[in-house]
Amino acid sequence: MNFQQLRSVREAVRCGFNLTEVAAMLYTSQPGVSRQIRELEDELGITIFARAGKRLTGLTEPGRVLVPIVERLLQEAENLRVAGREFVDRAEGTLSIAATHSQARYALPHAVRDFRQHYPQVTLNLHQGSPKQVAEMLLGGEADIGIATEALAGYPQLVTLPCYRWTHSIVVPHDHPLLHGGPPSLERLAAFPIITYDRGYTGRSHIDDAFARAGLRPDVVITAMDADVIKTYVELGMGVGIVASIAVDPERDRPLQAIDARHLFEINVTRLAVRRGSLLRGYAFAFIEHFAPSLTRAVVEDALALAIGAEATTEAVTSA
Amino acid sequence: MNFQQLRSVREAVRCGFNLTEVAAMLYTSQPGVSRQIRELEDELGITIFARAGKRLTGLTEPGRVLVPIVERLLQEAENLRVAGREFVDRAEGTLSIAATHSQARYALPHAVRDFRQHYPQVTLNLHQGSPKQVAEMLLGGEADIGIATEALAGYPQLVTLPCYRWTHSIVVPHDHPLLHGGPPSLERLAAFPIITYDRGYTGRSHIDDAFARAGLRPDVVITAMDADVIKTYVELGMGVGIVASIAVDPERDRPLQAIDARHLFEINVTRLAVRRGSLLRGYAFAFIEHFAPSLTRAVVEDALALAIGAEATTEAVTSA
DNA sequence: TATCCTTACGGAATTCGTAAGCATG
DNA sequence: CATGCTTACGAATTCCGTAAGGATA
């Protein structure tokens, strides 16, 4: 058993069982990968991959059990390297953060600025993507920390922690009817064409939920992945915008006016996620604490140590 | 990074930093081991072992962090092999059980007999030792399951589960004064020379505690590791025995009479332990359930999944 | 027929053990 | 001076990539 065999197996799963692709990912030859996998199967005495003729098609029953162990093993190997680097220089290295546009644009800048002052030697890598992509970057080991409001739950391999709460605002051009007559109701709002986030982005689900519960079918005319695009179309008079309150700045967005909408839509919680079982650099904890002061190193480490579905043990004892 | 390097590091810690001994354990040459360790240190960029001149003396600060990761990694590698074997043949393999004399002699035989009937192809390995040795056999990977009444707590790397409760009995020759006058008190008992278990064995601590709480200093004239020895000396009239109730059989121990002592000493709980993070064969779960029916596979797996000191996470969230 | 995995083979790199060297208690 | 780690070197093994072969959509 060696690491190259294990890497080949992990990568084969990730690449959809295409060994040619695996070889490219691991910078080696395709026959090499084929051999690595077969040798591991021989050593363990089982077949990990289901084959249709010569082609790999999926995992066998044993494979489904083994692959998670392989993943954990390689994760620990990575942890070893990370731990080494931590002792070489606590203040030098790389930190990869995956975040949605909203977070990268409005929530992260302060934390990033503070972090860079404290750790000028750390290369900060900011990846942007949909919540799903954020989760996958974490799972693939491309990102150390993920930040998003939606879709981070439902990955048992990720540990998620609440960072902060926020609400939506309605943005409209000056002299819009909604500015008069007090806080608007969902009914009044639904009378206008709506411009808001794509499904799966920045609290969109809470917006849909609110309208659905009220029995309303709003006319969503434009959707976008970020508030900047939404605001642009609102300025053009295409409709009424619904964005995260944090995304509205009275100074910058002078052509627009914001109406607080926290009475209409459920409160959103932005969450931070890390891969379960991963070892974080010291400065990663520092970044997290800059971003969400309640998430101290101790809190994050506790959450990382917690096992999947951990519950109280039964201390049932039979009498002899 | 390769497995031989990691094995060398783990074994070096276990062998008290004597690389010559490590080489013997790993069936290789001493310069080889030396090189493995040096190469891993070079690759990680840190020194794992503290050196006095050319001699290894202990772990460095980084070493103390890295070694537990190495142990987990090698544990996962072992899990991989175990998982493989499980799929090769569910009913064939080896099961190593470490137990104290009391358990091996009185509690285990029924479970062992039942187990052998169900799994005739499994080689059963029964190691005997002190509770401390039981714990160390688990930690060293020599035993899969450990069973003892004392000293299994206090090893964070072990998961312990309660199996059954039991109490002590007093054993005396026929016509002994303690047989008359109702259930004896601690005071009356302390008036006789006592023969019981060694410190650290089979509920001895509860015996000492009871006397100490009553302000009594019993005259313990003989101690032994097992009830058979104790009973032998009681038969010889050397004193009054205190043994686990389970160890007394009216038929076999005809020269003796037993007096229930559950009113005098605290109830004992025999515990089963497995190494945290280890993967057990299916038949290991079966054995555990034969031994302690309350410990179903689900219960044991839940306990294994629980992390060290797992507690509820704080869901404290700051407001944006 | 193009894609994808396996088998075969030869060269290169790695690995490992023996022997010698050196420091320490 | 015995124990224990390191260095040096040569042989054996292992590893890996190229080239050819065969199966499948």
Side-chain angles (χ1 to χ4, degrees):
Chain A
M1 192 190 304
N2 62 50
F3 284 102
Q4 190 67 354
Q5 293 169 352
L6 302 174
R7 273 192 292 270
S8 298
V9 167
R10 177 176 68 179
E11 212 55 38
V13 175
R14 290 187 180 169
C15 293
F17 312 106
N18 181 330
L19 299 196
T20 309
E21 201 180 328
V22 172
M25 296 294 283
L26 298 182
Y27 304 103
T28 182
S29 68
Q30 183 274 317
V33 171
S34 188
R35 190 169 38 222
Q36 300 293 353
I37 288 176
R38 232 157 355 81
E39 280 175 5
L40 182 63
E41 288 183 326
D42 287 351
E43 183 178 339
L44 296 177
I46 52 161
T47 57
I48 297 171
F49 294 101
R51 288 161 171 88
K54 286 194 169 181
R55 234 156 267 220
L56 301 196
T57 56
L59 288 172
T60 60
E61 169 68 15
R64 278 190 288 276
V65 173
L66 286 171
V67 166
I69 304 176
V70 170
E71 301 241 0
R72 285 203 300 274
L73 200 157
L74 291 174
Q75 167 96 61
E76 293 291 1
E78 179 57 25
N79 287 350
L80 217 47
R81 290 191 200 91
V82 171
R85 273 178 246 131
E86 181 74 4
F87 283 103
V88 171
D89 188 341
R90 300 187 162 274
E92 197 182 54
T94 305
L95 180 63
S96 289
I97 299 166
T100 56
H101 172 89
S102 300
Q103 303 305 323
R105 172 87 167 73
Y106 298 107
L108 282 174
H110 285 96
V112 167
R113 195 198 52 201
D114 290 357
F115 179 78
R116 286 216 57 80
Q117 282 187 343
H118 284 87
Y119 296 93
Q121 302 294 332
V122 174
T123 305
L124 207 56
N125 238 317
L126 196 58
H127 302 279
Q128 205 175 308
S130 71
K132 263 199 175 175
Q133 287 173 317
V134 167
E136 267 147 31
M137 279 190 263
L138 286 169
L139 293 177
E142 296 151 61
D144 305 306
I145 297 171
I147 300 170
T149 300
E150 312 219 1
L152 288 184
Y155 293 88
Q157 281 193 86
L158 297 185
V159 181
T160 70
L161 292 159
C163 298
Y164 65 91
R165 300 164 183 276
W166 56 270
T167 53
H168 288 101
S169 281
I170 300 162
V171 285
V172 293
H174 288 293
D175 301 324
H176 193 273
L178 278 175
L179 290 168
H180 312 293
S185 66
L186 280 174
E187 285 75 13
R188 278 191 70 201
L189 185 55
F192 296 94
I194 303 290
I195 304 173
T196 190
Y197 299 104
D198 286 338
R199 275 176 207 285
Y201 282 81
T202 324
R204 168 69 190 267
S205 58
H206 285 176
I207 295 172
D208 289 350
D209 290 351
F211 283 115
R213 265 200 300 275
L216 296 168
R217 296 209 30 190
D219 180 23
V220 179
V221 291
I222 298 175
T223 65
M225 295 187 342
D226 63 89
D228 295 307
V229 172
I230 295 169
K231 287 186 289 187
T232 302
Y233 286 98
V234 173
E235 279 182 41
L236 290 174
M238 312 277 300
V240 169
I242 305 174
V243 298
S245 299
I246 200 178
V248 191
D249 180 346
E251 288 286 312
R252 286 190 177 182
D253 301 322
R254 214 161 279 191
L256 298 174
Q257 283 213 264
I259 305 165
D260 198 315
R262 72 180 67 183
H263 61 295
L264 297 179
F265 310 113
E266 218 178 299
I267 292 174
N268 298 280
V269 179
T270 290
R271 293 185 156 264
L272 181 147
V274 290
R275 189 174 161 154
R276 198 182 294 279
S278 69
L279 189 69
L280 293 179
R281 293 292 303 265
Y283 52 69
F285 290 107
F287 179 86
I288 291 173
E289 202 169 341
H290 272 131
F291 181 65
S294 67
L295 299 182
T296 61
R297 178 165 185 154
V299 167
V300 177
E301 279 183 334
D302 271 10
L304 270 169
L306 274 174
I308 303 167
E311 283 164 32
T313 14
T314 55
E315 280 272 325
V317 184
T318 59
S319 249
Chain B
M1 191 189 305
N2 63 52
F3 284 102
Q4 189 68 355
Q5 294 168 350
L6 302 174
R7 272 193 293 269
S8 300
V9 167
R10 176 175 69 178
E11 213 54 40
V13 174
R14 289 187 180 167
C15 292
F17 312 106
N18 181 330
L19 298 196
T20 310
E21 201 181 328
V22 172
M25 296 292 284
L26 298 181
Y27 304 105
T28 183
S29 68
Q30 184 274 318
V33 172
S34 189
R35 189 170 38 223
Q36 299 293 353
I37 289 175
R38 186 160 292 277
E39 280 175 6
L40 182 62
E41 288 183 326
D42 286 351
E43 183 178 340
L44 297 177
I46 52 160
T47 58
I48 297 171
F49 294 101
R51 290 163 171 88
K54 286 193 169 180
R55 232 156 266 220
L56 302 198
T57 55
L59 289 172
T60 60
E61 168 66 16
R64 279 191 287 277
V65 173
L66 286 170
V67 166
I69 304 176
V70 170
E71 300 241 1
R72 284 204 300 275
L73 200 157
L74 290 173
Q75 166 96 60
E76 293 292 359
E78 178 57 25
N79 288 350
L80 217 47
R81 290 190 200 91
V82 170
R85 273 177 245 131
E86 180 75 5
F87 283 102
V88 170
D89 187 341
R90 301 188 161 273
E92 197 182 52
T94 305
L95 181 61
S96 290
I97 299 167
T100 57
H101 172 89
S102 300
Q103 303 305 323
R105 173 87 167 73
Y106 298 106
L108 283 174
H110 284 97
V112 168
R113 196 197 51 200
D114 290 357
F115 179 78
R116 286 216 57 80
Q117 282 187 343
H118 284 87
Y119 295 93
Q121 302 293 332
V122 175
T123 305
L124 206 54
N125 238 318
L126 196 57
H127 302 279
Q128 204 174 307
S130 70
K132 264 199 176 178
Q133 287 174 317
V134 168
E136 267 148 31
M137 278 189 263
L138 285 169
L139 293 177
E142 297 150 60
D144 305 306
I145 297 172
I147 299 170
T149 300
E150 311 220 1
L152 287 184
Y155 292 88
Q157 280 193 86
L158 297 184
V159 180
T160 71
L161 291 159
C163 297
Y164 65 90
R165 301 166 184 276
W166 56 270
T167 53
H168 288 101
S169 281
I170 300 162
V171 286
V172 292
H174 287 293
D175 300 324
H176 192 277
L178 279 174
L179 290 167
H180 313 292
S185 66
L186 280 174
E187 285 76 13
R188 278 191 69 202
L189 184 57
F192 297 94
I194 303 289
I195 305 174
T196 190
Y197 299 104
D198 286 337
R199 274 175 207 286
Y201 281 80
T202 324
R204 169 70 190 268
S205 59
H206 285 176
I207 295 172
D208 289 350
D209 290 350
F211 283 116
R213 265 200 301 275
L216 297 168
R217 295 212 28 192
D219 180 23
V220 179
V221 291
I222 298 176
T223 65
M225 294 188 344
D226 63 88
D228 295 308
V229 172
I230 295 169
K231 288 186 289 188
T232 302
Y233 286 97
V234 173
E235 278 183 43
L236 291 175
M238 311 279 299
V240 170
I242 305 175
V243 298
S245 300
I246 200 176
V248 192
D249 181 344
E251 288 286 311
R252 287 190 177 179
D253 301 322
R254 213 160 283 191
L256 298 175
Q257 284 214 263
I259 306 165
D260 198 314
R262 72 181 67 183
H263 60 296
L264 298 179
F265 310 112
E266 216 178 301
I267 292 173
N268 298 279
V269 179
T270 290
R271 293 185 156 265
L272 181 147
V274 289
R275 188 173 161 154
R276 198 182 294 280
S278 69
L279 189 69
L280 293 179
R281 293 292 303 264
Y283 53 69
F285 290 108
F287 178 87
I288 291 172
E289 200 168 342
H290 273 132
F291 181 65
S294 67
L295 299 182
T296 60
R297 179 168 185 152
V299 168
V300 178
E301 280 183 334
D302 272 9
L304 270 169
L306 275 174
I308 302 166
E311 285 164 29
T313 16
T314 55
E315 280 271 328
V317 185
T318 58
S319 250

